[in-house]
Amino acid sequence: MGTPHAQRETHTGAATAIEVAGLHKSFGESEVLRGIDLTVRSGEVVCVIGPSGSGKSTLLRCVNLLEEPTSGTVRVAGTEVTDPDVDIDRVRRRIGMVFQSFNLFPHLTALGNLTIAQRRVLGRGKAEAEDVARRNLRRVGLTDKEGSYPAQLSGGQQQRVAIARALSMGPDLMLFDEPTSALDPELVGDVLAVMRRLADEGMTMLVVTHEMSFAREVADRVVFMDGGTVVEEGPAEQVVAAPRHPRTRAFLSRVLDPAAADVLEAPSPAQGTPPEERAAN
Amino acid sequence: MSRRNRTRAVRTAQYGVLVLLVVAVALAADWSELRRAFFDAEVAREQFPDVVTTALVNTVVYTVLGFVFGLALGLLLALMRLSPVPPYRWLAVAYIEFFRGVPALLVFIALGFGVPLAFQVSINQYVTVMLALGLVGAAYMAETIRAGIQAVPKGQTEAARSLGMSSSRAMVSIVIPQAFRIVLPPLANELILLTKDSSLVYLLGLSMDQYELAKFGRDALNQHRSLTPILIAGLFYLAITLPLGHLVRRLEARAARAR
């Protein structure tokens, strides 16, 4: 079920990280997800693209049960999170989540943001938690900001702290909900560079994004959603560069800058992607 | 008349009325009588040091006791008010509506006479004061704290839950600390109101060494047939409330900057 298209050889046979089957979600009268099937294998990077209101974020939020599915099942690393008897707090420790609006804790320093769940949830001691926190701040290039409060950081720095916060729990997989959509264009590149490195390190990632060049270059697979269903999915180059479905084609031509229309031929940046991003690579 | 001239004329008239009122009151009052009643140096000297060592100290102690108990109870009520369990919500709403709707004076009398009747025990006077002031203060503080908790963005809870925190852990570690930052100015305001409400504890029946500022002042008024002690008590209230008011304004300014 779920993934009719060919996986990359490296992932064939790998353990399943996320398995979504027959997922429906309604908010009152409006049905946001109309039967989603999706599988993400361990170590795979899957980008979900699609117009706003297509249900991308809701799908992501159903994976760690921030939204309760109306019907259908979600399995994360073999555990059925939609089972009412499952201790969801325990499952969520293994799932890192990064939000569009960062959601850093404003009353805590960067270091405090990275240590509080380690200490209160995982029961780590202060020294160990700070050790892990500093290691992860280094991973996102913010070693010198550990004493800063979120309000003292730029949007891009806040989002990198938020990524480091999720990584400090040692998650098996990471969910990214439009991580660069709230950022000023010149700050997007730093965040994408961190995510790219994470992907290179083999982290399993499910990313809702509008950054087409990121999807194309980093994702193993791209899923195009529209109207609460998966319209098309497949290898990144295929879906982004040579979409089969007319709705995918229409969406991509709207999203990609007409000035960069040669995107189909060469890996040039998507609309709004700053030069810094390319420089960062 | 141009608009500017009209504004000027209206303002001049307003100032004129104000000055006339002040002059009329000043002329009509019997200043020598007032001075004798309110500014009797002999009586004023006699108030010290007891007005400070007993009355002021007791006012502060009563207020702090009531505030601390009221804050704890108010937080509990706020959490009950927001609970998904309906009976908790009903209890909290009933409590808040009752104690906000009934004069503190009646609560104090009811407690002062009712508790010893009901339980046939004599409770420490300080405990009774703490209960009385706290029970009334809690109703107001509960609504303030509830508003503060609701003002913390939903994303904060979501981030905390996505890190594996339980809902109560997220509330304690993430939401409540931020909520208290938001409600610090209104809570300091509540402290000012409580300072003045502490003047009602005399209804509980106090011995002389338990007098607070207002009771102390009235006692001295009866003794000396002079209003001077009342003036002194009032000044001491201001010595507490004016700095607190200043603190509220500074907290509000800081909150406005942080936003």
Side-chain angles (χ1 to χ4, degrees), chain B:
Chain B
M1 221 190 299
S2 76
R3 194 159 55 163
R4 188 191 299 172
N5 283 339
R6 195 161 57 225
T7 310
R8 200 174 292 161
V10 167
R11 190 151 303 162
T12 309
Q14 285 171 349
Y15 285 136
V17 169
L18 201 65
V19 169
L20 275 176
L21 276 174
V22 171
V23 169
V25 169
L27 287 178
D30 185 338
W31 285 99
S32 60
E33 271 305 316
L34 277 179
R35 188 176 310 130
R36 207 168 312 135
F38 278 103
F39 302 98
D40 188 325
E42 191 56 38
V43 174
R45 255 194 303 279
E46 269 185 52
Q47 304 308 308
F48 291 91
D50 285 358
V51 68
V52 177
T53 54
T54 304
L56 179 64
V57 167
N58 277 335
T59 291
V60 171
V61 167
Y62 295 160
T63 305
V64 169
L65 282 174
F67 186 74
V68 169
F69 175 61
L71 193 63
L73 183 59
L75 176 60
L76 179 69
L77 285 166
L79 292 174
M80 285 170 68
R81 180 95 163 67
L82 295 169
S83 163
V85 184
Y88 287 167
R89 287 204 303 273
W90 300 334
L91 258 173
V93 170
Y95 180 98
I96 291 165
E97 294 299 331
F98 180 81
F99 280 99
R100 276 200 315 189
V102 170
L105 182 96
L106 298 187
V107 176
F108 280 53
I109 294 174
L111 260 170
F113 294 98
V115 169
L117 272 179
F119 301 104
Q120 298 295 325
V121 285
S122 65
I123 305 176
N124 181 318
Q125 207 58 249
Y126 285 97
V127 175
T128 320
V129 168
M130 181 177 85
L131 285 176
L133 280 173
L135 286 175
V136 174
Y140 291 94
M141 288 194 253
E143 283 297 87
T144 304
I145 295 169
R146 177 188 59 82
I149 289 174
Q150 287 179 321
V152 175
K154 202 160 159 280
Q156 291 292 312
T157 308
E158 289 183 350
R161 296 304 304 276
S162 76
L163 287 165
M165 291 189 199
S166 65
S167 62
S168 51
R169 170 48 71 190
M171 186 56 87
V172 169
S173 290
I174 304 301
V175 177
I176 289 177
Q178 293 183 53
F180 268 100
R181 243 152 247 235
I182 295 170
V183 299
L184 220 48
L187 278 185
N189 229 348
E190 186 58 36
L191 190 55
I192 293 177
L193 295 177
L194 218 53
T195 306
K196 295 187 292 172
D197 275 351
S198 72
S199 64
L200 292 173
V201 300
Y202 77 90
L203 291 162
L204 298 167
L206 302 175
S207 59
M208 272 185 70
D209 62 332
Q210 291 172 328
Y211 283 1
E212 36 64 54
L213 280 171
K215 179 64 179 165
F216 185 91
R218 288 197 309 156
D219 202 53
L221 159 73
N222 290 333
Q223 191 188 328
H224 297 290
R225 301 271 148 212
S226 164
L227 286 163
T228 308
I230 298 294
L231 180 79
I232 291 174
L235 290 176
F236 275 111
Y237 273 110
L238 288 175
I240 302 172
T241 54
L242 288 183
L244 279 175
H246 181 67
L247 179 72
V248 171
R249 279 191 299 280
R250 275 186 42 187
L251 291 172
E252 277 171 348
R254 204 185 66 175
R257 267 202 310 280
R259 211 162 285 142

Side-chain angles (χ1 to χ4, degrees), chain A residues 46-257:
Chain A
V46 175
C47 280
V48 183
I49 62 172
S52 54
S54 58
K56 314 181 293 287
S57 290
T58 306
L59 167 63
L60 205 67
R61 292 164 60 86
C62 280
V63 171
N64 68 352
L65 230 62
L66 280 184
E67 302 291 353
E68 190 100 33
T70 308
S71 66
T73 58
V74 176
R75 288 172 170 279
V76 174
T79 309
E80 187 182 331
V81 299
T82 35
D83 179 349
D85 291 332
V86 159
D87 179 359
I88 187 63
D89 295 337
R90 191 164 278 279
V91 180
R92 280 183 181 140
R93 297 176 194 177
R94 320 296 307 159
I95 310 174
M97 176 136 187
V98 175
F99 299 86
Q100 179 177 348
S101 48
F102 328 136
N103 294 350
L104 288 181
F105 306 134
H107 62 302
L108 300 174
T109 61
L111 198 66
N113 267 276
L114 268 62
T115 52
I116 188 157
Q118 289 190 67
R119 302 198 57 196
R120 303 284 176 227
V121 176
L122 302 180
R124 287 180 185 157
K126 187 171 155 68
E128 187 194 0
E130 289 186 349
D131 213 44
V132 172
R134 292 205 174 91
R135 207 157 52 231
N136 282 300
L137 279 177
R138 196 175 323 128
R139 271 170 100 175
V140 299
L142 289 173
T143 315
D144 53 330
K145 297 293 184 192
E146 66 170 58
S148 303
Y149 284 90
Q152 299 166 323
L153 300 172
S154 75
Q157 290 170 334
Q158 287 189 52
Q159 192 60 298
R160 280 145 68 198
V161 171
I163 293 172
R165 176 175 69 179
L167 290 174
S168 294
M169 301 295 285
D172 295 331
L173 62 132
M174 292 278 287
L175 307 174
F176 292 85
D177 188 3
E178 302 198 26
T180 58
S181 297
L183 296 177
D184 288 337
E186 76 269 22
L187 302 175
V188 169
D190 290 340
V191 172
L192 290 182
V194 166
M195 291 170 62
R196 202 177 293 252
R197 197 151 45 208
L198 213 52
D200 290 343
E201 290 167 13
M203 176 61 76
T204 309
M205 293 161 63
L206 183 57
V207 186
V208 171
T209 186
H210 291 294
E211 299 290 338
M212 290 308 142
S213 64
F214 177 84
R216 182 178 168 144
E217 291 162 30
V218 181
D220 298 301
R221 262 187 313 137
V222 169
V223 174
F224 172 70
M225 280 180 69
D226 194 9
T229 56
V230 172
V231 174
E232 182 169 353
E233 68 170 299
E237 311 87 74
Q238 182 199 308
V239 176
V240 178
R244 291 176 188 167
H245 200 284
R247 268 148 83 190
T248 319
R249 277 204 287 272
F251 170 75
L252 286 168
S253 67
R254 272 202 310 278
V255 165
L256 300 176
D257 192 339

